């Protein structure tokens, strides 16, 4: 079946501009996660959505970052007033159910963001 | 909160030899421990996972062991092949239903 998809695959933007990154989770997956991965580094948790519950935003690095998930499916990560340190690969993952039983996370291909 | 430490950061082994990567965690309530493989420029992919009610799980050349008392778990790869070269990440599921990730191990298979 279809996996997690993300768009765009690459985004180059000028410092100070806003960007929107999109994630389409696997159909039926109620949990959705956003991570950031800088070059050669590990996975930095950003935000977690579980069903209709309030998202866990504890990983967002600043108030320039926000995310929403509409209709329990597609999610958009927005970065306002981008800075050079925002340059990274942004990965989205989904799992069948974040609260019980099926915890395997499946990742999308990522969006490579470059802020010039 | 949960903290996961992963060692070594880089591991170089001869093709055909075994490789072992170790992770420790801090929260005794953690109950799910996956391992992901990330090839250069690709997304992380789940290769094996273990839950706290078992001590070992195998899948062909890959195995994971869990010691709940000592709070550590390990990935074992036998008969390593060139395609095993990648970065491997361990993780532990915390009480907030999130995965807390190790820093990664770069595995190099020497021909």
């Amino acid at each position: 079946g279809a996996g997690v998809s993300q768009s765009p695959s690459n985004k180059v933007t000028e410092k100070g501009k806003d960007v929107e990154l999109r994630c389409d989770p696997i159909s039926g997956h109620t949990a959705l996660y956003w991570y950031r991965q800088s070059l050669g580094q590990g996975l930095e948790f950003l935000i977690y959505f579980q069903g209709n519950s309030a998202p866990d935003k504890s990983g967002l690095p600043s108030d320039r970052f926000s995310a929403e998930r509409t209709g329990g499916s597609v999610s958009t990560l927005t970065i306002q007033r981008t800075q050079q340190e925002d340059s990274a690969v942004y990965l989205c993952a989904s799992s069948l159910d974040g609260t019980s039983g099926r915890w395997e996370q499946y990742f999308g291909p990522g969006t490579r963001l470059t802020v010039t | 909160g949960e903290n996961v430490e992963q060692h070594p950061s880089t591991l170089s082994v001869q093709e055909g030899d075994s490789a072992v990567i170790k992770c420790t965690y801090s929260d005794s309530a953690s109950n799910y421990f996956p391992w992901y493989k990330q090839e250069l420029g690709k997304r992380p992919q789940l290769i094996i996972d273990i839950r706290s009610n078992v001590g070992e799980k195998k899948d062909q050349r890959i195995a994971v062991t869990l010691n709940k008392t000592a709070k550590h778990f390990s990935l074992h790869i036998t008969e390593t092949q060139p395609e095993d070269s990648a970065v491997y990440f361990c993780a532990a599921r915390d009480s907030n239903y999130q995965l807390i990730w190790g820093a990664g191990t770069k595995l190099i298979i020497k021909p």
Side-chain angles (χ1 to χ4, degrees), chain B residues 14-48:
Chain B
Q14 204 70 38
E15 181 179 349
D17 289 350
S18 295
V20 180
I21 303 170
K22 299 180 180 179
C23 288
T24 61
Y25 61 99
S26 59
D27 186 355
S28 56
S30 290
N31 60 359
Y32 173 67
F33 308 91
W35 286 89
Y36 283 78
K37 175 184 180 182
Q38 187 176 31
E39 297 177 64
L40 191 62
K42 301 287 183 62
R43 73 190 82 183
Q45 292 199 310
L46 177 69
I47 56 172
I48 196 166

Side-chain angles (χ1 to χ4, degrees), chain A residues 12-33:
Chain A
V12 180
T13 190
E14 292 180 353
K15 178 182 172 180
K17 300 281 189 182
D18 297 353
V19 295
E20 283 190 353
L21 312 180
R22 177 188 168 105
C23 172
D24 276 280
I26 293 172
S27 177
H29 280 198
T30 63
L32 187 148
Y33 306 79

Side-chain angles (χ1 to χ4, degrees), chain B residues 63-108:
Chain B
V64 56
T65 59
L66 172 64
N67 183 325
K68 287 191 296 183
T69 302
K71 289 188 282 189
H72 67 70
F73 55 111
S74 300
L75 177 71
H76 305 253
I77 305 174
T78 58
E79 301 172 11
T80 53
Q81 300 170 4
E83 54 265 35
D84 295 329
S85 293
V87 177
Y88 291 80
F89 292 98
C90 66
R93 181 178 177 272
D94 75 358
S95 54
N96 293 321
Y97 314 118
Q98 293 174 24
L99 289 181
I100 308 302
W101 296 84
T105 295
K106 183 176 182 178
L107 177 61
I108 300 166

